[in-house]
Amino acid sequence: MAKLFMKGNEAVGEAAVRGGIRFFAGYPITPQSELPEYLSWRLPEVCGTFIQAESEVAAINMVYGAAATGARAMTGSSSPGISLKSEGISYLSAAELPAVIINVQRGGPGLGSIQPAQQDYLQATKAPGHGGFRMMVFAPNSIQEAVDLVYEAPEYADRDRSPVLVLMDGCLGTMMDEVELPPFKELPETICKPWTVGYDGTTRSGHLITPIYPEAGLEGKNKLAVARTKRWEENDVQVEEFMLDDAEWVIVAYGIASRVAKQAILNLRNKGVKVGMIRPITLFPFPKKSIAELDYSQVKGLIDIEMSIPALMREDIELQVLGRAPVYEYGRSGGVLLDDDSTEAAIWKIIEEASSNG
Amino acid sequence: MRFTLLVGGSGGQGGMSMGMTLAESAVKGGKHASFMPLYGPEQRGGAAKCTVIISDEPIISPLPLKTDGLIAMNEASYKKYIKELRPGGLLVRNSSRSTSAIKRDDIRVLEIPADDIAVELGSSKIAGIVLIGAMLGFSNMMDPKMLMDSLEEKFESKGDAIVDLNRRALYKGVELGTKAAAG
């Protein structure tokens, strides 16, 4: 298939359409706005619905409504906008509604900056809203991978009847790169599913979609969610392991940071430094095993590299390392970007200082 | 061969679309390329830059610290981005809009009065094409024909006169760049 040269946000929009998304409600925010802009003309072409809502809160609740009817629904935003949507995401989870949510992260906290960052890791993986629910979180590191993950995201959402988050960053959203688009998925004749509201073509369904349950019922739902999380951890972890075989130093990085880290690793390997990388592709479920099962007689340390200060993934890493090796971090933040040379120098410095102390 | 280029200008000057067209034409020509824009909230004015990487190998990181080339479209972007050019790097500066003394002596400099050349050729809008042609001639980063093919496709619907204007602008720049590279 011919390679196209596409902007990340637009490629993700096309991948969503090809993956079966037929409803999008959103509100513009940099650096994500090309996504709704693209879908505003693209969705009508495939008989889909695009709504520019009056606010982020309205958009996520429109997604709730569309998902309740069985429509494959999506919304997108950037960091502060995702905060606004968090109540709705919690409701989606409570009502067991599938939806795809895209976060093209920018600097924070607060209104932050409009430049790229990776400062929403904790929000994405720990508390995307109130009530202690979890979502699968995918973190692509290229436009191609973003396309592939967004294309498959509706399947996970439907399978689990749960919202799914694709965590990008402003670099991936606004940059342009080569991409191959997947073919259009064949869609079922009706959007109705056994649990959806509305008329399914034969009988009028009496299903009630609700985020409200009596206490005992709610506790039961909480327990089911725990079982689902366990299934994710057993079956759905995606991770890239890079040059780990002889690695004495292991970088852990996701998304755009992993691209910068990989270049730094290749440069350091040329200088004889034995460094490798673990790259979570699913941030939740987190690739615990990859870190827990490293050879700690060989590994001298792990370095968490993120476009975030502090490095937010660090606690998840430390929970797997369990003191068997020191964990370090390097990052830029607030919309200041990581770059190859500075990252290489930072890794070098960490290794050198650790070696002279040890 | 791998070349990283920073294009800096003010919003609305066309630097972004120029960088984008350059990267796109490289991909169409069978090379690997990435385009990474960075701009403020302003639609017009304000500083805007983009980093274009063109390479024979797949691009691992799109975020270099220093670039091999810098096109400075105005004084503000010259001052802001000159430090991002690596030692030995190539500066193509729009001397119609940027005239301050160049303090670095570890770079190669090509001054192009792009706005004046563009007006002479028939439109002030094509100053950017002159500058990019100059960089292509100065650097050998890519065969100018690849870019011309893309420009032709892009402006085909606007008629032969516009395509021809772009061609003359591009190759005027290439000529000046090649001459400077040889000298």
Side-chain angles (χ1 to χ4, degrees), chain A residues 3 5 7 34 114-116 171 174-178 256 259-260 262-263 266 307 337-342, chain B residues 2 19-20 23-24 27 31-41 58-66:
Chain A
K3 289 220 167 179
F5 192 66
K7 191 175 266 261
E34 295 91 350
I114 65 169
Q115 311 300 357
C171 288
T174 56
M175 70 177 275
M176 295 178 82
D177 208 342
E178 301 157 71
I256 192 70
R259 302 264 298 266
V260 176
K262 190 178 252 185
Q263 184 64 59
L266 291 172
M307 209 117 89
L337 307 188
L338 288 167
D339 68 76
D340 308 343
D341 293 350
S342 311
Chain B
R2 175 189 154 102
M20 199 185 295
E24 194 173 10
V27 170
K31 286 178 171 284
H32 298 281
S34 74
F35 165 84
M36 169 80 210
L38 215 55
Y39 43 82
I59 292 155
I60 295 168
S61 163
L63 301 174
L65 172 64
K66 306 245 175 190

Short mmCIF file of all heavy atoms in Angstrom, two decimals, chain A residues 3 5 7 34 114-116 171 174-178 256 259-260 262-263 266 307 337-342, chain B residues 2 19-20 23-24 27 31-41 58-66:
data_model
loop_
_atom_site.label_atom_id
_atom_site.label_comp_id
_atom_site.label_asym_id
_atom_site.label_seq_id
_atom_site.Cartn_x
_atom_site.Cartn_y
_atom_site.Cartn_z
N LYS A 3 2.48 4.72 0.82
CA LYS A 3 2.65 5.48 2.06
C LYS A 3 2.14 6.90 1.85
O LYS A 3 2.43 7.54 0.85
CB LYS A 3 4.11 5.51 2.46
CG LYS A 3 4.59 4.17 2.94
CD LYS A 3 5.52 4.30 4.14
CE LYS A 3 5.71 2.94 4.78
NZ LYS A 3 6.59 2.96 5.92
N PHE A 5 1.69 10.86 3.59
CA PHE A 5 2.36 11.76 4.51
C PHE A 5 1.28 12.55 5.22
O PHE A 5 0.63 13.40 4.62
CB PHE A 5 3.30 12.68 3.73
CG PHE A 5 4.25 13.44 4.60
CD1 PHE A 5 5.23 12.78 5.32
CD2 PHE A 5 4.16 14.82 4.70
CE1 PHE A 5 6.12 13.49 6.13
CE2 PHE A 5 5.05 15.53 5.50
CZ PHE A 5 6.02 14.87 6.22
N LYS A 7 -0.57 14.33 8.92
CA LYS A 7 -0.48 14.90 10.26
C LYS A 7 -1.11 13.91 11.25
O LYS A 7 -2.15 13.31 10.93
CB LYS A 7 -1.24 16.22 10.26
CG LYS A 7 -1.03 17.06 11.50
CD LYS A 7 -1.73 18.40 11.34
CE LYS A 7 -0.80 19.46 10.82
NZ LYS A 7 -0.24 20.34 11.85
N GLU A 34 -6.96 19.56 14.92
CA GLU A 34 -7.08 19.00 13.57
C GLU A 34 -7.90 17.73 13.56
O GLU A 34 -8.41 17.34 12.51
CB GLU A 34 -5.70 18.72 12.98
CG GLU A 34 -4.84 19.94 12.74
CD GLU A 34 -3.96 20.28 13.94
OE1 GLU A 34 -4.17 19.68 15.01
OE2 GLU A 34 -3.08 21.14 13.79
N ILE A 114 0.38 25.34 25.29
CA ILE A 114 -0.20 24.60 24.16
C ILE A 114 0.83 23.69 23.52
O ILE A 114 0.55 23.00 22.55
CB ILE A 114 -0.82 25.54 23.10
CG1 ILE A 114 0.27 26.41 22.45
CG2 ILE A 114 -1.90 26.40 23.71
CD1 ILE A 114 -0.24 27.17 21.22
N GLN A 115 2.05 23.66 24.05
CA GLN A 115 3.10 22.81 23.47
C GLN A 115 3.01 21.39 24.03
O GLN A 115 2.43 21.17 25.08
CB GLN A 115 4.47 23.41 23.77
CG GLN A 115 4.61 24.91 23.46
CD GLN A 115 4.36 25.25 22.00
OE1 GLN A 115 4.13 24.37 21.18
NE2 GLN A 115 4.36 26.52 21.66
N PRO A 116 3.63 20.45 23.32
CA PRO A 116 3.53 19.04 23.71
C PRO A 116 4.10 18.74 25.09
O PRO A 116 5.06 19.37 25.52
CB PRO A 116 4.36 18.32 22.65
CG PRO A 116 4.41 19.25 21.49
CD PRO A 116 4.39 20.62 22.07
N CYS A 171 3.33 16.40 20.11
CA CYS A 171 4.25 16.09 18.99
C CYS A 171 3.56 15.16 18.01
O CYS A 171 3.50 15.45 16.81
CB CYS A 171 5.51 15.42 19.50
SG CYS A 171 6.62 16.50 20.38
N THR A 174 0.60 16.87 16.08
CA THR A 174 0.80 17.94 15.10
C THR A 174 1.88 17.63 14.07
O THR A 174 1.95 18.28 13.04
CB THR A 174 1.15 19.27 15.78
OG1 THR A 174 2.32 19.07 16.60
CG2 THR A 174 0.02 19.76 16.66
N MET A 175 2.75 16.64 14.37
CA MET A 175 3.79 16.36 13.39
C MET A 175 3.23 15.56 12.20
O MET A 175 2.13 15.03 12.27
CB MET A 175 4.99 15.63 14.00
CG MET A 175 4.74 14.22 14.42
SD MET A 175 6.25 13.43 15.06
CE MET A 175 7.01 12.87 13.55
N MET A 176 4.00 15.55 11.13
CA MET A 176 3.61 14.76 9.96
C MET A 176 4.66 13.69 9.73
O MET A 176 5.85 13.93 9.92
CB MET A 176 3.51 15.65 8.73
CG MET A 176 2.40 16.67 8.82
SD MET A 176 2.33 17.73 7.38
CE MET A 176 1.40 16.71 6.24
N ASP A 177 4.20 12.54 9.33
CA ASP A 177 5.10 11.40 9.15
C ASP A 177 4.46 10.48 8.11
O ASP A 177 3.29 10.61 7.77
CB ASP A 177 5.27 10.68 10.49
CG ASP A 177 6.62 9.97 10.60
OD1 ASP A 177 7.24 9.74 9.54
OD2 ASP A 177 7.02 9.65 11.72
N GLU A 178 5.28 9.52 7.67
CA GLU A 178 4.75 8.55 6.71
C GLU A 178 3.78 7.61 7.42
O GLU A 178 4.00 7.23 8.56
CB GLU A 178 5.89 7.70 6.16
CG GLU A 178 6.94 8.50 5.46
CD GLU A 178 8.26 7.75 5.46
OE1 GLU A 178 8.36 6.75 4.74
OE2 GLU A 178 9.16 8.17 6.19
N ILE A 256 6.28 9.71 22.64
CA ILE A 256 7.31 10.45 21.92
C ILE A 256 8.66 10.35 22.65
O ILE A 256 9.72 10.31 22.01
CB ILE A 256 6.90 11.92 21.70
CG1 ILE A 256 7.81 12.62 20.70
CG2 ILE A 256 6.84 12.71 22.99
CD1 ILE A 256 7.64 12.14 19.28
N ARG A 259 10.90 7.64 21.45
CA ARG A 259 11.60 7.86 20.17
C ARG A 259 12.93 8.58 20.41
O ARG A 259 13.97 8.22 19.86
CB ARG A 259 10.73 8.73 19.23
CG ARG A 259 9.37 8.18 18.91
CD ARG A 259 9.34 7.43 17.60
NE ARG A 259 9.67 8.20 16.42
CZ ARG A 259 8.79 8.81 15.63
NH1 ARG A 259 7.50 8.78 15.93
NH2 ARG A 259 9.17 9.43 14.53
N VAL A 260 12.86 9.61 21.24
CA VAL A 260 14.07 10.36 21.58
C VAL A 260 15.04 9.44 22.31
O VAL A 260 16.24 9.42 22.03
CB VAL A 260 13.70 11.59 22.45
CG1 VAL A 260 14.94 12.33 22.89
CG2 VAL A 260 12.76 12.51 21.68
N LYS A 262 15.26 6.21 22.14
CA LYS A 262 15.82 5.18 21.26
C LYS A 262 17.01 5.72 20.46
O LYS A 262 18.03 5.05 20.32
CB LYS A 262 14.73 4.66 20.30
CG LYS A 262 15.17 3.42 19.52
CD LYS A 262 14.05 2.90 18.61
CE LYS A 262 13.47 1.63 19.14
NZ LYS A 262 12.48 1.00 18.25
N GLN A 263 16.90 6.95 19.99
CA GLN A 263 18.02 7.57 19.27
C GLN A 263 19.22 7.70 20.21
O GLN A 263 20.36 7.40 19.84
CB GLN A 263 17.61 8.95 18.73
CG GLN A 263 18.68 9.63 17.90
CD GLN A 263 19.00 8.85 16.62
OE1 GLN A 263 18.12 8.62 15.79
NE2 GLN A 263 20.24 8.41 16.47
N LEU A 266 20.87 4.29 20.70
CA LEU A 266 21.70 3.90 19.57
C LEU A 266 23.03 4.64 19.58
O LEU A 266 24.09 4.06 19.34
CB LEU A 266 20.95 4.15 18.25
CG LEU A 266 19.74 3.23 18.02
CD1 LEU A 266 18.95 3.68 16.80
CD2 LEU A 266 20.19 1.77 17.85
N MET A 307 8.48 13.30 28.98
CA MET A 307 8.33 14.73 28.75
C MET A 307 7.46 15.25 29.90
O MET A 307 6.35 15.77 29.69
CB MET A 307 7.68 14.97 27.39
CG MET A 307 8.06 16.26 26.75
SD MET A 307 8.95 15.99 25.21
CE MET A 307 7.60 15.94 24.06
N LEU A 337 10.50 20.64 25.01
CA LEU A 337 10.60 19.30 24.45
C LEU A 337 11.90 18.60 24.82
O LEU A 337 12.94 19.24 25.00
CB LEU A 337 10.50 19.36 22.92
CG LEU A 337 9.29 20.09 22.35
CD1 LEU A 337 9.22 19.91 20.84
CD2 LEU A 337 8.00 19.60 22.97
N LEU A 338 11.82 17.28 24.91
CA LEU A 338 13.03 16.47 24.97
C LEU A 338 13.73 16.57 23.62
O LEU A 338 13.08 16.79 22.60
CB LEU A 338 12.67 15.00 25.21
CG LEU A 338 12.17 14.59 26.59
CD1 LEU A 338 11.56 13.19 26.50
CD2 LEU A 338 13.29 14.61 27.61
N ASP A 339 15.05 16.40 23.59
CA ASP A 339 15.74 16.28 22.32
C ASP A 339 16.82 15.21 22.43
O ASP A 339 17.23 14.84 23.54
CB ASP A 339 16.34 17.62 21.88
CG ASP A 339 17.47 18.05 22.77
OD1 ASP A 339 18.56 17.49 22.62
OD2 ASP A 339 17.27 18.95 23.63
N ASP A 340 17.28 14.73 21.28
CA ASP A 340 18.20 13.58 21.24
C ASP A 340 19.48 13.82 22.04
O ASP A 340 19.84 13.02 22.90
CB ASP A 340 18.63 13.29 19.79
CG ASP A 340 17.44 13.16 18.87
OD1 ASP A 340 16.32 12.98 19.38
OD2 ASP A 340 17.64 13.24 17.65
N ASP A 341 20.17 14.91 21.72
CA ASP A 341 21.50 15.13 22.28
C ASP A 341 21.46 15.34 23.79
O ASP A 341 22.26 14.77 24.53
CB ASP A 341 22.18 16.34 21.62
CG ASP A 341 22.49 16.06 20.15
OD1 ASP A 341 22.36 14.90 19.75
OD2 ASP A 341 22.84 17.00 19.43
N SER A 342 20.51 16.17 24.24
CA SER A 342 20.43 16.44 25.68
C SER A 342 20.05 15.18 26.43
O SER A 342 20.51 14.95 27.55
CB SER A 342 19.40 17.53 25.97
OG SER A 342 19.61 18.64 25.14
N ARG B 2 21.29 12.27 5.75
CA ARG B 2 20.23 12.74 6.63
C ARG B 2 20.44 14.22 6.83
O ARG B 2 21.56 14.67 7.12
CB ARG B 2 20.29 11.99 7.96
CG ARG B 2 19.30 12.47 9.01
CD ARG B 2 19.63 11.81 10.35
NE ARG B 2 19.17 12.62 11.46
CZ ARG B 2 18.07 12.37 12.16
NH1 ARG B 2 17.35 11.31 11.90
NH2 ARG B 2 17.71 13.16 13.15
N GLY B 19 7.77 24.07 4.71
CA GLY B 19 8.42 22.90 5.32
C GLY B 19 7.61 21.64 5.07
O GLY B 19 8.16 20.57 4.79
N MET B 20 6.29 21.79 5.16
CA MET B 20 5.40 20.65 4.96
C MET B 20 5.52 20.13 3.52
O MET B 20 5.63 18.93 3.29
CB MET B 20 3.97 21.12 5.23
CG MET B 20 2.98 20.03 5.51
SD MET B 20 1.31 20.70 5.67
CE MET B 20 1.44 21.71 7.12
N ALA B 23 8.85 18.29 3.01
CA ALA B 23 8.88 16.94 3.60
C ALA B 23 8.02 15.99 2.79
O ALA B 23 8.39 14.84 2.51
CB ALA B 23 8.41 17.00 5.04
N GLU B 24 6.84 16.48 2.39
CA GLU B 24 5.92 15.64 1.63
C GLU B 24 6.54 15.23 0.29
O GLU B 24 6.43 14.07 -0.13
CB GLU B 24 4.62 16.42 1.39
CG GLU B 24 3.49 15.56 0.90
CD GLU B 24 2.18 16.34 0.85
OE1 GLU B 24 2.20 17.58 1.00
OE2 GLU B 24 1.14 15.69 0.65
N VAL B 27 9.00 12.40 0.72
CA VAL B 27 8.37 11.08 0.88
C VAL B 27 7.89 10.57 -0.48
O VAL B 27 8.07 9.39 -0.81
CB VAL B 27 7.21 11.15 1.89
CG1 VAL B 27 6.39 9.88 1.88
CG2 VAL B 27 7.77 11.40 3.29
N LYS B 31 12.07 9.05 -0.20
CA LYS B 31 12.89 9.21 1.01
C LYS B 31 12.00 9.15 2.25
O LYS B 31 10.77 9.13 2.16
CB LYS B 31 13.61 10.55 0.96
CG LYS B 31 14.77 10.57 -0.04
CD LYS B 31 15.41 11.94 -0.07
CE LYS B 31 16.68 11.94 -0.89
NZ LYS B 31 17.82 11.32 -0.19
N HIS B 32 12.64 9.11 3.41
CA HIS B 32 11.89 9.22 4.66
C HIS B 32 11.92 10.67 5.10
O HIS B 32 12.93 11.37 4.91
CB HIS B 32 12.52 8.34 5.74
CG HIS B 32 12.50 6.88 5.38
ND1 HIS B 32 11.37 6.10 5.51
CD2 HIS B 32 13.45 6.08 4.86
CE1 HIS B 32 11.64 4.88 5.10
NE2 HIS B 32 12.90 4.83 4.70
N ALA B 33 10.83 11.13 5.69
CA ALA B 33 10.79 12.53 6.12
C ALA B 33 9.84 12.68 7.30
O ALA B 33 8.90 11.89 7.46
CB ALA B 33 10.33 13.43 4.98
N SER B 34 10.12 13.66 8.16
CA SER B 34 9.15 14.04 9.17
C SER B 34 9.09 15.55 9.25
O SER B 34 10.04 16.25 8.88
CB SER B 34 9.49 13.43 10.53
OG SER B 34 10.60 14.11 11.10
N PHE B 35 7.95 16.04 9.69
CA PHE B 35 7.70 17.48 9.79
C PHE B 35 7.11 17.75 11.16
O PHE B 35 6.12 17.13 11.55
CB PHE B 35 6.69 17.88 8.69
CG PHE B 35 6.07 19.23 8.89
CD1 PHE B 35 6.71 20.38 8.47
CD2 PHE B 35 4.82 19.36 9.49
CE1 PHE B 35 6.13 21.63 8.64
CE2 PHE B 35 4.24 20.60 9.67
CZ PHE B 35 4.89 21.74 9.24
N MET B 36 7.77 18.62 11.91
CA MET B 36 7.32 18.88 13.28
C MET B 36 7.16 20.38 13.48
O MET B 36 8.16 21.11 13.53
CB MET B 36 8.37 18.30 14.23
CG MET B 36 8.22 18.69 15.68
SD MET B 36 6.98 17.71 16.51
CE MET B 36 6.45 18.91 17.72
N PRO B 37 5.93 20.87 13.53
CA PRO B 37 5.72 22.32 13.70
C PRO B 37 5.69 22.70 15.17
O PRO B 37 5.37 21.89 16.03
CB PRO B 37 4.35 22.53 13.08
CG PRO B 37 3.61 21.25 13.35
CD PRO B 37 4.65 20.15 13.42
N LEU B 38 6.02 23.92 15.45
CA LEU B 38 5.89 24.45 16.82
C LEU B 38 5.51 25.92 16.68
O LEU B 38 6.24 26.68 16.04
CB LEU B 38 7.23 24.31 17.54
CG LEU B 38 7.19 23.99 19.04
CD1 LEU B 38 6.39 22.74 19.33
CD2 LEU B 38 8.60 23.85 19.57
N TYR B 39 4.38 26.28 17.24
CA TYR B 39 3.94 27.67 17.09
C TYR B 39 3.13 28.09 18.29
O TYR B 39 2.68 27.27 19.07
CB TYR B 39 3.11 27.83 15.81
CG TYR B 39 2.11 26.72 15.59
CD1 TYR B 39 0.88 26.73 16.22
CD2 TYR B 39 2.41 25.63 14.76
CE1 TYR B 39 -0.04 25.71 16.04
CE2 TYR B 39 1.51 24.61 14.57
CZ TYR B 39 0.29 24.65 15.22
OH TYR B 39 -0.59 23.63 15.04
N GLY B 40 2.95 29.38 18.41
CA GLY B 40 2.17 29.92 19.51
C GLY B 40 0.71 29.98 19.14
O GLY B 40 0.29 29.44 18.12
N PRO B 41 -0.09 30.63 19.99
CA PRO B 41 -1.53 30.69 19.74
C PRO B 41 -1.93 31.61 18.59
O PRO B 41 -3.06 31.58 18.15
CB PRO B 41 -2.10 31.18 21.07
CG PRO B 41 -0.96 31.84 21.78
CD PRO B 41 0.29 31.22 21.28
N PRO B 58 14.90 5.23 7.92
CA PRO B 58 13.73 5.61 8.72
C PRO B 58 14.14 6.53 9.87
O PRO B 58 15.23 6.39 10.44
CB PRO B 58 13.22 4.27 9.25
CG PRO B 58 13.72 3.25 8.29
CD PRO B 58 15.04 3.76 7.79
N ILE B 59 13.27 7.47 10.21
CA ILE B 59 13.60 8.48 11.22
C ILE B 59 13.18 7.97 12.60
O ILE B 59 12.02 7.64 12.82
CB ILE B 59 12.90 9.81 10.88
CG1 ILE B 59 13.54 10.38 9.61
CG2 ILE B 59 13.02 10.80 12.03
CD1 ILE B 59 12.66 11.28 8.84
N ILE B 60 14.13 7.89 13.50
CA ILE B 60 13.83 7.38 14.84
C ILE B 60 13.24 8.49 15.69
O ILE B 60 12.11 8.43 16.11
CB ILE B 60 15.09 6.76 15.48
CG1 ILE B 60 15.51 5.53 14.67
CG2 ILE B 60 14.79 6.35 16.93
CD1 ILE B 60 16.87 4.98 15.01
N SER B 61 14.02 9.53 15.94
CA SER B 61 13.50 10.64 16.73
C SER B 61 13.28 11.85 15.86
O SER B 61 14.16 12.24 15.09
CB SER B 61 14.48 10.99 17.84
OG SER B 61 14.18 12.28 18.34
N PRO B 62 12.11 12.49 15.98
CA PRO B 62 11.87 13.72 15.20
C PRO B 62 12.34 14.98 15.93
O PRO B 62 12.04 16.07 15.49
CB PRO B 62 10.35 13.70 15.03
CG PRO B 62 9.86 13.02 16.27
CD PRO B 62 10.92 12.06 16.72
N LEU B 63 13.05 14.81 17.06
CA LEU B 63 13.38 15.97 17.88
C LEU B 63 14.89 16.16 18.08
O LEU B 63 15.42 15.88 19.15
CB LEU B 63 12.69 15.84 19.25
CG LEU B 63 11.17 15.73 19.23
CD1 LEU B 63 10.63 15.47 20.61
CD2 LEU B 63 10.54 16.98 18.65
N PRO B 64 15.59 16.64 17.05
CA PRO B 64 17.02 16.91 17.22
C PRO B 64 17.22 18.17 18.07
O PRO B 64 16.35 19.04 18.10
CB PRO B 64 17.51 17.15 15.79
CG PRO B 64 16.30 17.65 15.06
CD PRO B 64 15.10 17.02 15.72
N LEU B 65 18.36 18.24 18.76
CA LEU B 65 18.67 19.46 19.53
C LEU B 65 19.11 20.57 18.58
O LEU B 65 18.66 21.71 18.67
CB LEU B 65 19.77 19.17 20.55
CG LEU B 65 20.34 20.36 21.31
CD1 LEU B 65 19.26 21.01 22.16
CD2 LEU B 65 21.52 19.95 22.17
N LYS B 66 20.02 20.23 17.67
CA LYS B 66 20.56 21.21 16.72
C LYS B 66 20.30 20.69 15.31
O LYS B 66 20.30 19.48 15.07
CB LYS B 66 22.06 21.38 16.92
CG LYS B 66 22.42 21.72 18.36
CD LYS B 66 23.03 23.08 18.45
CE LYS B 66 23.25 23.43 19.91
NZ LYS B 66 23.61 24.80 20.13
#
